[in-house]
Amino acid sequence: MDPVCAIGLASAVVTLIDVGTKVAKRLTELSQTGDIPDVFRDIKTRLPLILSIVMRTQNGTHHLSPPAQDAFEEVVRQCFEQASQLNEILNKVVVAKGDSRLKKTVKAGVSLVEEARVQRIATGLRDNVQLLTFLSVTPVVVEKAESALERRPSVLLPSYASATGVFLVPFTRDEHFIGRASSLKSISASFENQNRVAISGMGGVGKSQIAIEYCYRYKDEMPDAHVFWVYGGTIARFYQGYKRIAQHLNLPGWDDPEESILELVSSWLSSTQDNYFLVIDNADNIEHWWPGKYKSGASLDDPSKDLSKYLPDRMGNSKVLITTRDNRVAGRLARKGKPIAVQPMSEQEATSLFLSKLGDDCSNIDEAEVHALLNELDHLPLAVSQAAAFIQENCISVAEYTIALQGSDAEEFLHEELDDSRRDEDSINSVYRTLKLSHDQIKQQKPRAAELLCLLAMLDRQSIPKSLLKVAEVTTSLGVLQSFNLVTSRAGLQSFQMHRLVQSFVRISLQKDNAAGKWQEKALACVSKDYPTEIGVAEWPICDALAPHVHIVTGYEYKTTEARLDLAHLLCWAADFDIERGMYTQALERAKWSLDLFRELAPEDDERLAAATWLYGRLRYYQAQNAKDADEAGELLEKALSIARYPSLTYGETAFELSHLCYDQGNEKRCLEMGEASFECWRDSEGPNSVRTLDNMHDYALELALLGHEEAGITMWQEIMERCPASDASENTKTVFTYRSMAGIAEFQDDAAMAEVFYADLAKISETLYYSEHVHVLDYRLSHAEQIMRQGRLDEATQLSESILANNSGHSEWRICAGCLQIIAECCRLRVSYSKEQEYRLRILELHEKKLGRDHRETIDVTHDLADCYLNNQRYPEARDQYLKVLSWRNQRLDRTHTDTLRAIECLGVSQVYEGRDEEAEAAYLDAINRQTSPNARLLHNLCVVLQNQSKWEMLETWSRQLCELDDENRQRALWSLMNALEQQGRTAEALEVRMSFLALGTPDAEPPKAWRLPQIPPVRVDRRFGRMIHPRTWSA
């Protein structure tokens, strides 16, 4: 290294260590006092590691090549900038002992704003740890490789320290990559004419290795471009790969369980101006790509969806490479271009590969013996690599290996279809022969390794977490399997994969030995015991990693009771995670299967049966399309509640779901009982200040307020704010809880101006926690618009609602769309623009019928709103028809004296009066009066109107006298009706007396106003939040 550069680098290292040590010390002190924010905990672990590596690497920089020295200097500079930024952020957000309450609140707000920035710094530090680790061991690698340099030039791994593009290839570069020049050249040539290129060939031919090498060459040429790798062999793994892309690019909505990850990434890939190279590896199953044309396979949620729709179309200069064994898939996905057929290696390439795998042991190899062996292996890269590993591990000659391959023990062949029209059937058998010899040798040398291979074969063959393999001698067993190339490790990850052909061979061997069932049960037990049973945001990565294995192990048939109980347990909690991802169809199937198994195998009072019953009832409720569905869901939830232990997660969640279901059904008493039971369960289980206790308290407070118990709801919100400081929630969550409670108090105290302020603040805070289009941000913005409307600023409320509606056009939360339409419709009503209101009411009704069905309470409520609109717009027949629908439902589902039921009867009567159907209106009014203990004056007046229209004077006299007894604004109308009834009966003296009383009230003349001859329309229904009740568990920030 140049002396001047060395001095500059040394100064930079000293500065980094000085600043980094101060930050690390400060984080350690904060950790000891318990005041360290969660986002800094990962940095507290990694920063000392970086400082240690930097100091160690600096002493050996003279061993580094010039590019590596430059990379080291660049990483030191980046780490210094990151440490300086952390020190600055700590000064802003860490609470000191003397800080006032206001200053603490301000720092909490700053912490919310800075969280995303700290996350980016943490990600950068993780990347720099990996790069520094590589650079720190480079001198050792160079020394060990000196003898190899005499045979072939060493290829230094590229440094991407200054590159801006994301590199998501989960495999290290093969420094001994052999040949394939023709295939690589063909790929480059094809990309000159098309954006999509497909390479196809039989299993083990080396397609993925070619794709990996091309990724590194592409990154060398375009260091600022993105390089993505997605496994396309299963739907679950394809989804996982796209989610990884979304996470690393930080695409808006990647962590939203209701967002479609596939659509999100596909849209970005088709619209971005960034250059990228995307590999879809092992796109072998044609049913996953075109389920409509071929036999329908499993899908993410809807079997009609196919993965081909999620490949980008408009890519600019970007490129997509597909590898597949199926020529049909290759031809269709490549579109314009002809797929590139990858053939087995040439003899020269296979020889080079074989000798490179043997390493120093190839000095005395006979060329003729190698030629004979490679012909036996048919030059297949997988078979060549495995043969070399076997020979090297067991110190046998090439000739001995070749003779063994030709023996009687190698007669079996793979049952999986591996046909290639350009090859004969015998060429397939060489792979099986190699696998069998390797497997037999492993069983002799290390039986534990052979057992582990059996377990691995029963899982998804890629991305097998090491943590899942809870067996004896796992580390050494994996080492043996890797030495035979039967499994390989993922770069930088604690996970492993095995080739499809290896997996097929092991499964076939186990089936022949009648041992497949034993290892399927062991695989199921591993996955079932490792699967989380309380699934929140923190558990999503674990569940995502296990999803492919869940798909595999739930596809086996089990006979023993123990295994079937494990299956039921796994299905239950996998279904719970499916709900978090919005995959309700799959969740419903798994939940039903789990419940059936527990009903068959578990005692009636088993807590596992309670959990399965709760989960299935919950899904039936979410998917309910009519009253019958809702009733059945309610029965399931009530059954779960009767089984569940108190206090427990199952009891608390079941009570929560029941409270919402009863709210939808109009069972207010049971709704409030279950709402209270839910938060009391969490209080007794986790304490009065836990996150879930406060979360469920808020939900109960909202139910109280919506059902007319405003004061009780407000009291509970005040209690939440008092408990927040002592809660175990994060500072972000406490802020949301506090602001949400203050907004609820203001809203239900009819202080729309104050509620507007709080909802605006909540929307801003939520944008820092999530992103601008997140469902919670939109919900707060919608509540904000609603409060603006209630203050009479109709144009402003309409514009804000239309803006939310436009941004939410592709969002999965349909209730946001419905809420926007309802606010706009309400603004139209207040402007007396009934025709325009009618358009929006029809859209709202259509949306509710589509999502909830015609028999849902919310659908009935919006039907009532549409009927009111028809009535105001003088479309009386349409209004009558809608009121009859509403009344039919409410008579069956609500209490006969419920306010909404009585209003529907009265409105029906009004519409009938305007149609001239006075006799029917009279029956409606009498029905409403008979349901009330003390009829209101408006209802009695409307009855008097229809009685007068029918000349029923005696009845008019009776009801008019009752109306006169009510001392209110309707007294004049009552006296006028009574006077008219007496006159028509010829009772002049009595009528004159009534007239004197009538004139004494100040009426200017004896002729009543025209409006007195018309029925009065009841006031509009007062909707708050239009039924929107957000699930409380999603609020934890």
Side-chain angles (χ1 to χ4, degrees), residues 853-874:
R854 297 184 176 182
D855 204 28
H856 194 277
R857 176 178 179 173
E858 289 184 38
T859 306
I860 297 302
D861 287 345
V862 299
T863 302
H864 196 155
D865 293 337
L866 175 62
D868 287 348
C869 179
Y870 282 141
L871 183 61
N872 291 330
N873 207 20
Q874 300 181 11

Side-chain angles (χ1 to χ4, degrees), residues 139-170:
V140 179
V141 174
V142 172
E143 293 173 5
K144 291 183 177 179
E146 285 179 355
S147 59
L149 286 172
E150 298 176 359
R151 296 196 310 273
R152 55 178 287 134
S154 176
V155 181
L156 184 67
L157 289 177
S159 171
Y160 302 135
S162 61
T164 58
V166 173
F167 190 72
L168 294 182
V169 178

